[in-house]
Amino acid sequence: MEMTAGIIIIGDEILSGKVEECNCLFLARRLRARGVNVCRVSIISDEVDEIATEVRSFSERYDYVFTSGGLGPTHDDVTIEGIAKGFSVRIVVEPHLRSILERRYGDRVTPERLKMAEIPEGGELVTDKALEFPLIRYKNVFVFPGIPQFLRDKFNVIEHLFIAPSILLKRVYVNEYESEIAPMLNEIVRDNRAVKIGSYPIMHNSNHRVMLTLESVDEAALTLAVDALAKRLGDKAVKID
C-alpha cells in the first residue's frame, strides 16, 4: 500500500521571499527514495490558527506530516502552539528538553529559552546520539526546525522509520514537441493505470525536447508501459534510462 506524506513549511520569511526555501525539496526527494509519496506541500505564515488548521487537516489526510520552521525562543516561533491548538491539547514543558537547556545555559535559562522545551501534551521525543537536540513528534506529525542543516541532521536519524514499496522510475527522452505526442501519450496513460506518467518540456537542448517520467511500485506494469511507449514513439525516443 502506498504511504503518503504532506509537508508544511511555516514562516513569514518564506512567503515574503526574504529566505530561500530548500527544506521541501530535500524532504520530497528523500521521502520519495523511501517509497513515500508526497501528496501536498503548503507554505503558511507564522499564525497559530493557520498552523492549527493545516496540521490537523494534513494529519487526517496523510500517513506522515512534516513541519519545518517556527521553533525557537522568539515571538514568531509558534509552531508548537499551533499544533497544540490543532489537536486541542495543552502545551507542556518536556523534562528532558528542559534539562538540555539547563545544562547549556545554567542559570541563564530565561522564559524565552525555556520555550524551546515546550511540546504538545502527549508528544514524544526522538533522541539519538547524533542529535544535540531531540526531534519532537506528535502523533504522525514530525516537527522540524527551519534551519536546513538542523532539519537534515534530524531527518537522517528518523529516515529508517519510513518503509514503503519502492517507487520505480524510468525516464524517456523524446525528440519531438509535447503537443505532437500528447494524443499518443493520453492513450498510454489510459491503458496503464498502475503507472504515473509525467511530461516535461526541455528547453535549449539539441538532443531532445521532452522528458517523460514513468513511475510505479509495480515493476511488471512499469515495464509494460515503457515498452508500449517506446514502441509508439519509435525513433523519436532518443534515450531511455
Side-chain angles (χ1 to χ4, degrees), residues 31 41-42 48 61 107 115 132 137 200 202 204 228 241:
L31 289 167
V41 175
S42 180
V48 172
R61 295 171 64 182
D107 58 4
K115 183 180 177 182
E132 182 179 2
R137 176 179 183 175
Y200 310 99
I202 304 295
H204 310 301
D241 64 19

Side-chain angles (χ1 to χ4, degrees), residues 176-232:
E176 184 56 271
Y177 291 107
E178 196 176 38
S179 58
E180 186 67 26
I181 65 172
M184 175 271 296
L185 196 57
N186 288 338
E187 294 178 7
I188 296 293
V189 170
R190 182 196 63 204
D191 296 338
N192 296 272
R193 297 298 187 182
V195 179
K196 185 175 182 178
I197 300 175
S199 178
Y200 310 99
I202 304 295
M203 304 299 292
H204 310 301
N205 189 303
S206 59
N207 295 321
H208 54 271
R209 295 190 174 100
V210 176
M211 180 183 70
L212 303 175
T213 62
L214 297 89
E215 298 172 280
S216 180
V217 297
D218 186 331
E219 186 173 7
L222 181 62
T223 299
L224 286 173
V226 171
D227 290 347
L229 183 60
K231 183 177 180 179
R232 293 291 300 275

Side-chain angles (χ1 to χ4, degrees), residues 22-93:
C22 59
N23 290 333
C24 176
L25 179 63
F26 170 83
L27 288 172
R29 285 177 171 172
R30 293 290 288 271
L31 289 167
R32 174 67 94 180
R34 301 293 296 181
V36 179
N37 185 32
V38 175
C39 298
R40 190 176 183 87
V41 175
S42 180
I43 302 178
I44 61 176
S45 64
D46 300 305
E47 295 289 340
V48 172
D49 289 342
E50 190 169 4
I51 295 169
T53 299
E54 202 79 338
V55 171
R56 182 61 183 258
S57 173
F58 273 48
S59 178
E60 292 170 352
R61 295 171 64 182
Y62 308 120
D63 296 304
Y64 306 113
V65 181
F66 302 86
T67 72
S68 166
L71 300 180
T74 60
H75 68 284
D76 55 351
D77 293 316
V78 293
T79 294
I80 295 300
E81 184 179 354
I83 294 172
K85 184 170 185 178
F87 290 97
S88 301
V89 297
R90 298 185 305 141
I91 296 173
V92 297
V93 174

Side-chain angles (χ1 to χ4, degrees), residues 108-172:
R108 295 179 293 113
V109 177
T110 62
E112 290 77 19
R113 284 172 171 158
L114 194 59
K115 183 180 177 182
M116 294 187 288
E118 294 178 344
I119 68 170
E121 187 174 32
E124 59 183 285
L125 301 183
V126 180
T127 60
D128 188 271
K129 61 182 181 181
L131 296 179
E132 182 179 2
F133 210 76
L135 173 72
I136 298 170
R137 176 179 183 175
Y138 184 80
K139 296 183 180 293
N140 62 338
V141 181
F142 295 85
V143 188
F144 284 90
I147 298 173
Q149 189 57 57
F150 292 168
L151 179 142
R152 295 176 187 189
D153 290 344
K154 285 177 166 53
F155 185 84
N156 289 338
V157 167
I158 67 166
E159 187 175 16
H160 70 280
L161 298 176
F162 311 114
I163 303 173
S166 297
I167 301 171
L168 306 173
L169 169 67
K170 285 289 186 179
R171 298 181 181 89
V172 179

